[in-house]
Every structure is written in structure tokens, then in C-alpha cells.
Amino acid sequence: MDDCIFCKIIAGDIPSECVLSTEAAFAFMDIGPLAAGHCLLIPRSHYETVDQMPAEEAAAVLGELPALVKAVQTATGCKGVNVLQNNGRVANQLVPHVHFHIIPRNPNDAWSFNWPAGEYTGDHMAELGDAIRKALS
Ligand code: AMP
Ligand code: ZN
């Protein structure tokens, strides 16, 4: 895609600190890190959101995730990571090319996560489960 910043990074038209490059996947350092070592794992092909990806391509990209997470943990010495994928503008996706954030985490670090868990009432959870199962079939 011509005006996609991540496609330009893959093409080498915009510089990046690449850490992984395969036939299907590319990973590089996030220029605005939430923690030192914050990386982005992306498909080489342009898809705006993860639901648009063919399953085989998603599998090939995410197949790189365990090794990349391990490498970020080894390199930074962090105690864990958040793997985050903002899918769609409403979910805070700013760059419209699928990307998985790997964000190093440590005890008492600066990043906090707003997790306003709700609760279901009545049959709502079962109804939604049923609707999702139907949509999958
Ligand atoms: P998101 O809000 O999930 O779309 O996140 C987009 C991410 O892309 C942000 O964390 C940015 O810091 C990162 N980003 C944007 N432009 C670049 C770039 N040229 N090189 C590396 N990371 C970038
Ligand atoms: Zn793109």
C-alpha cells in the first residue's frame, strides 16, 4: 500500500531498527516505546486489521512470536511482556497495518493498564457465546 508507513518500512523507504525478517513477517523497534525494547511484529503484506488476514498468513506471522518475546526478554532483562494488538480505530489503532506490540514489563514500571472488567447478568454471556459460535461456523 503506497501511503502506509509500515509498508514503507518493509520496502526500506523509511529506516527502521529491524530485529527479525522472514518471508511472511517483519519486526522492528517501536520509535515511541512504552518501555525500552518495545518491538512491533507485522505481516509483510498489507492488511489493515487482523480479521482481514488469511489464517495461514496470521499463523506464519504469529509463529515468530514466541522467539521474539523470548529475545526481547533476554535482551532487556524484563520480567514479562504485554503482547498487544490494537484492532481498529476505536481500539486505538493509529497505524492501519496490522501490528503486534511486544512491550517489556517490570515490577512497578511506568505503564499502567486500564482494565475495567464488567460482569454479565442473566443469560447474556451464554447468548453471546452462542452468537460467536454461530458466527464461527
Ligand atoms: P497503534 O496505536 O497500535 O497503531 O501503534 C502504532 C505504533 O507505531 C506506535 O507505538 C508508534 O510509536 C509506532 N510507530 C509509528 N511510526 C513508526 C516508525 N516510523 N517506526 C517505528 N515505530 C513507529
Ligand atoms: Zn501497510
Side-chain angles (χ1 to χ4, degrees):
M1 240 261 275
D2 284 352
D3 61 349
C4 171
I5 191 167
F6 286 178
C7 283
K8 285 181 181 161
I9 283 177
I10 287 168
D13 296 338
I14 291 178
S16 73
E17 187 66 34
C18 173
V19 295
L20 177 151
S21 179
T22 70
E23 206 178 314
F26 191 86
F28 55 104
M29 309 293 287
D30 192 305
I31 206 169
L34 291 182
H38 181 167
C39 289
L40 300 173
L41 174 63
I42 69 177
R44 279 188 175 274
S45 302
H46 181 90
Y47 300 100
E48 188 164 334
T49 55
V50 77
D51 44 284
Q52 296 171 357
M53 292 184 75
E56 318 76 57
E57 210 162 330
V61 173
L62 288 175
E64 305 298 333
L65 188 60
L68 184 55
V69 166
K70 203 169 167 185
V72 168
Q73 292 184 160
T74 300
T76 66
C78 67
K79 300 295 180 212
V81 300
N82 281 105
V83 176
L84 179 70
Q85 194 264 325
N86 297 327
N87 203 59
R89 190 64 197 87
V90 73
N92 287 329
Q93 182 180 5
L94 297 180
V95 177
H97 180 130
V98 171
H99 50 283
F100 298 87
H101 295 261
I102 293 112
I103 305 162
R105 299 303 307 269
N106 283 295
N108 304 316
D109 60 19
W111 197 48
S112 69
F113 204 79
N114 186 22
W115 194 280
E119 58 183 295
Y120 292 108
T121 54
D123 295 333
H124 196 195
M125 184 167 75
E127 286 163 7
L128 280 177
D130 199 37
I132 292 169
R133 280 189 295 277
K134 281 196 179 111
L136 277 168
S137 63

